[in-house]
Amino acid sequence: MLEGENPSAGNGGNILYRREWLEKCIQQDGYAFDESFNSGSSEDWELVVRLRQRDAKLVYVPARVVHLRQTSPWQHLRHQFTRGVGIAHLYLAQR
C-alpha cells in the first residue's frame, strides 16, 4: 500500500472503475467480479485486492452520505449476517 493511501478506498456501493482496469481483469482472470460470491457479500473487496495487485491507484473521495431508507433491527441483522458470510468467503479466497 502506498503512503497516504486509504485502505478503505474501493469499498463498493458507490464506486467507479476505469474500463481498462476491468478489461485487464477480464483478460487476465477471465472475470471482473467473482460470481462465486453472493451478491452484496465482498465481491467488490475481492476485485479491489486484484486491482491493487496490478498497481491500480484507488482514490477515496470523502462525501457526506444520507441514508433515507429505514430498516428494522431484523433487517439490519440479516444484512450484517450476509456481510459476515461474504467476509468469510473473501478470507478463504485470499488464502
Side-chain angles (χ1 to χ4, degrees), residues 35-50:
E35 293 183 14
S36 70
F37 287 88
N38 292 327
S39 178
S41 61
S42 298
E43 71 278 2
D44 51 346
W45 279 105
E46 192 273 338
L47 174 59
V48 165
V49 168
R50 289 186 291 122

Side-chain angles (χ1 to χ4, degrees), residues 21-33 46-47 50-51 53-54:
W21 283 105
L22 295 176
E23 289 172 349
K24 192 176 286 191
C25 286
I26 292 169
Q27 183 180 50
Q28 294 175 2
D29 302 325
Y31 60 92
F33 282 98
E46 192 273 338
L47 174 59
R50 289 186 291 122
L51 290 172
Q53 289 170 345
R54 292 178 171 95

Side-chain angles (χ1 to χ4, degrees), residues 4-94:
E5 184 178 358
N6 186 323
S8 296
N11 182 14
N14 191 9
I15 188 167
L16 297 171
Y17 297 106
R18 288 185 178 267
R19 181 184 302 260
E20 67 241 31
W21 283 105
L22 295 176
E23 289 172 349
K24 192 176 286 191
C25 286
I26 292 169
Q27 183 180 50
Q28 294 175 2
D29 302 325
Y31 60 92
F33 282 98
D34 186 344
E35 293 183 14
S36 70
F37 287 88
N38 292 327
S39 178
S41 61
S42 298
E43 71 278 2
D44 51 346
W45 279 105
E46 192 273 338
L47 174 59
V48 165
V49 168
R50 289 186 291 122
L51 290 172
R52 285 187 174 160
Q53 289 170 345
R54 292 178 171 95
D55 296 324
K57 182 178 180 182
L58 302 173
V59 178
Y60 174 71
V61 180
R64 185 178 175 146
V65 176
V66 178
H67 294 274
L68 300 176
R69 188 180 82 179
Q70 298 292 319
T71 60
S72 70
W74 176 250
Q75 289 170 317
H76 176 74
L77 288 174
R78 187 175 60 199
H79 176 73
Q80 292 303 319
F81 178 80
T82 302
R83 286 187 66 225
V85 169
I87 290 167
H89 190 138
L90 179 62
Y91 170 76
L92 292 173
Q94 296 301 313

